[in-house]
Amino acid sequence: MNCFLVKTEPGVFSIDDLKKKKREPWDGVRNYQARNIMRDEMKMGDLVLFYHSNADPSGVAGVCRVASKPYPDPTQFDADSPYFDPKSDPENPRWFLVDMAFEKKFKRLVSLTELKQYAELAEMTLLQRGNRLSVMTVTQDEFEFILALASC
DNA sequence: GCCAACGTTGGC
DNA sequence: GCCAACGTTGGC
């Protein structure tokens, strides 16, 4: 099974929001590398670390699960959406997404500061210098290590 | 709010 | 195809 990490600003959409809604289309991703991961690598049932960015503090807040196959992000065709992309052709959509389902909220947030302390996580894409990807892969070892840190 | 890092755009 | 300008991300 593949493991992933997605970033979200909790002021916009937090783990509590996902818990409440149970399931959410992961829309608004407008980066090709992130899109490719959602479109080409994510499979239904895959587990995904849920990361709060631009937060106080930032860190991994819980886990969600890929709950759909990839499909075109409807917001790219919605002129009223902030994610509207006038250059995307409905016959050949540019942006894809998957639905995310709530899995669990950690008993405690595992902060970015804490993640940086472990040699086991030094290779994580998240921790690489200047990384700005909002959707990325995580190794199974890294995934399990973070779950153990959260002690759930 | 600052700013480093990086992706995208567009002129040439 | 190059690359400067610009916009965005996200930690601090």
Side-chain angles (χ1 to χ4, degrees), chain A residues 5-152:
Chain A
L5 179 147
V6 294
K7 292 179 186 171
T8 170
E9 300 195 21
V12 178
F13 192 81
S14 72
I15 189 80
D16 290 323
D17 293 326
L18 183 61
K19 183 175 186 178
K20 205 177 309 169
K21 300 187 76 170
K22 296 190 170 61
R23 178 178 174 139
E24 183 76 1
W26 208 252
D27 60 16
V29 173
R30 294 293 179 268
N31 169 284
Y32 289 105
Q33 201 179 343
R35 175 206 67 185
N36 292 347
I37 291 170
M38 284 201 290
R39 187 191 59 189
D40 304 334
E41 298 190 40
M42 286 187 174
K43 306 283 182 248
M44 281 188 65
D46 284 349
L47 293 173
V48 183
L49 295 169
F50 195 99
Y51 180 86
H52 282 173
S53 63
N54 258 321
D56 187 23
S58 295
V60 182
V63 177
C64 57
R65 187 166 23 83
V66 177
S68 76
K69 292 185 172 180
Y71 61 96
D73 181 343
T75 64
Q76 70 194 302
F77 304 121
D78 177 0
D80 294 329
S81 166
Y83 304 125
F84 179 57
D85 182 352
K87 293 186 207 161
S88 184
D89 175 5
E91 298 300 312
N92 184 22
R94 180 179 293 193
W95 305 113
F96 285 75
L97 53 65
V98 297
D99 290 352
M100 292 296 182
F102 178 78
E103 186 73 19
K104 70 172 110 181
K105 179 183 176 177
F106 287 165
K107 295 189 186 80
R108 65 182 193 89
L109 182 110
V110 180
S111 73
L112 177 61
T113 311
E114 188 176 352
L115 296 176
K116 287 176 177 168
Q117 291 170 4
Y118 296 99
E120 291 90 335
L121 302 178
E123 304 301 317
M124 274 189 86
T125 307
L126 178 74
L127 301 183
Q128 302 316 302
R129 171 187 174 82
N131 167 62
R132 297 188 333 186
L133 260 190
S134 64
V135 178
M136 64 195 85
T137 56
V138 170
T139 69
Q140 192 153 353
D141 285 348
E142 289 161 350
F143 186 91
E144 287 168 5
F145 190 85
I146 291 170
L147 246 61
L149 283 181
S151 62
C152 44

